[in-house]
C-alpha cells in the first residue's frame, strides 16, 4: 500500500530522516516507537506529504506521490490522519466536523454525509454528542470524534501520531479500543505511540526509530522480548 524509498528529510541544516526504506502492506498495523526527536512524526507527516521529503520517493497505491506532477489531494483523501492534539474545528459542532470533508472534498450530499456521520458516532458510542462543540467534550471523546472524522472519508490507511499522549490516563483505553476495533476490521494503520500494550496486542510489526533511521523492526513479540540493537534495548529498558 505504501512504499518508501530512500526517504530523507532535512529542516535547514538539521538532517531528520536519514534514508528510510519501508514497505507497508494492506491490512498491516505498523507501530512506530522511539525516543522523542527521533523523527517519528516527521516520518508520518512525510507519508501524506504534510512534510515534503528533501529526497526519496513515496509510492502510495502504486502512484508516486512525491512526483512533482502528482496531485496529492486525491491520495490524501485516502489517508486519514489523527493527531495528538485532536485538531477539531472549535467553531463547528461534532456533526459539522465529521461531515465537512465529505461534503466539501467529496461533494457528498449533506444528508448522505450526515447518515455516515451518525453511523460512525454510533460505532464510537457518541451519538448524543452530534450537536456538541469540541470544548464541551472530554479529551477521550474529542479524539474518538477525530478518528470518526478521518473515517468519514473512507480512507485506505489511517495514520496516528501519538493519539493518546495528550489524554488523561483514564481516557486512553477508550481511544485505544476504537483503534483496536479498526485494526480488527482490517484497516491498514501506521501508529506512532508509547502504548507498548497496544503495540504488543495489535501491532503486526513494530519499527524502532532512533536518530532518523529505522534501527530495528520485528514482530511485537520478537522486538519486545528479544531486541537486537543496543539502542532498542536501551529504549525498551526505559519504557517497559
Ligand atoms: P518525534 O516525533 O520522534 O519526537 P519529530 O519528527 O517531531 O520527532 O522531530 C525530529 C526532529 O526534527 C527534532 O529535532 C525536531 O526538532 C525537528 N523538527 C521537526 N519538525 C520541524 C520543523 N517543522 N522545523 C524544524 N525542525 C523540525
Ligand atoms: Mg512526534
Amino acid at each position: 500500500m505504501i512504499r518508501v524509498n530512500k526517504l530523507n528529510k532535512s529542516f535547514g541544516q538539521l538532517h531528520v530522516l536519514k534514508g528510510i526504506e519501508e514497505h507497508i502492506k494492506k491490512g498491516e498495523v505498523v507501530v512506530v516507537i522511539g525516543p522523542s526527536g527521533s523523527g517519528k512524526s516527521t516520518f508520518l507527516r512525510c507519508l501524506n506529504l504534510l512534510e515534503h521529503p528533501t529526497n526519496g520517493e513515496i509510492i502510495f497505491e502504486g502512484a508516486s506521490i512525491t512526483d512533482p506532477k502528482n496531485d496529492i489531494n486525491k491520495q490524501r483523501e485516502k489517508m486519514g490522519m489523527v493527531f495528538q492534539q485532536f485538531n477539531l474545528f472549535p467553531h463547528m459542532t461534532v456533526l459539522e466536523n465529521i461531515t465537512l470533508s465529505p461534503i466539501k472534498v467529496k461533494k457528498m450530499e449533506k444528508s448522505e454525509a450526515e447518515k455516515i456521520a451518525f453511523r460512525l458516532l454510533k460505532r464510537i458510542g457518541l451519538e448524543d454528542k452530534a450537536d456538541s462543540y469540541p470544548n464541551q467534550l472530554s479529551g477521550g471523546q474529542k479524539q474518538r470524534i477525530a478518528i470518526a472524522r478521518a473515517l468519514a472519508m473512507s480512507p485506505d490507511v489511517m495514520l496516528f501520531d501519538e493519539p493518546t499522549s495528550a489524554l488523561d490516563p483514564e481516557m486512553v483505553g477508550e481511544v485505544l479500543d476504537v483503534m483496536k476495533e479498526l485494526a480488527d476490521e482490517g484497516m491498514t494503520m501506521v501508529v506512532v505511540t508509547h502504548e507498548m500494550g497496544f503495540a504488543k496486542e495489535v501491532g503486526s510489526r513494530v519499527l524502532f526509530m532512533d536518530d532518523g533511521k529505522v534501527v530495528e523492526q520485528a514482530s511485537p513479540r520478537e522486538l519486545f522480548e528479544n531486541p537486537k540493537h543496543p539502542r532498542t534495548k536501551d529504549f525498551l529498558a526505559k519504557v517497559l
Side-chain angles (χ1 to χ4, degrees), residues 40-42 84 161-162 192:
K40 305 180 299 296
S41 295
T42 305
Q84 187 174 337
D161 192 359
E162 297 199 34
V192 176

Side-chain angles (χ1 to χ4, degrees), residues 16-20 38 208-215 231:
V16 173
L17 297 180
K18 302 175 178 171
I20 295 190
S38 56
F208 172 67
M209 280 187 72
D210 192 26
D211 192 26
K213 295 183 197 123
V214 177
V215 170
R231 283 192 285 189

Side-chain angles (χ1 to χ4, degrees), residues 5-24:
N5 293 328
K6 298 197 179 69
L7 171 63
N8 281 277
K9 174 67 183 175
S10 297
F11 294 105
Q13 295 297 309
L14 189 67
H15 194 182
V16 173
L17 297 180
K18 302 175 178 171
I20 295 190
E21 299 275 343
E22 262 316 314
H23 183 196
I24 293 156

Side-chain angles (χ1 to χ4, degrees), residues 31-47:
V31 176
V32 183
I33 63 171
S36 179
S38 56
K40 305 180 299 296
S41 295
T42 305
F43 173 57
L44 212 61
R45 293 166 65 81
C46 280
L47 293 182

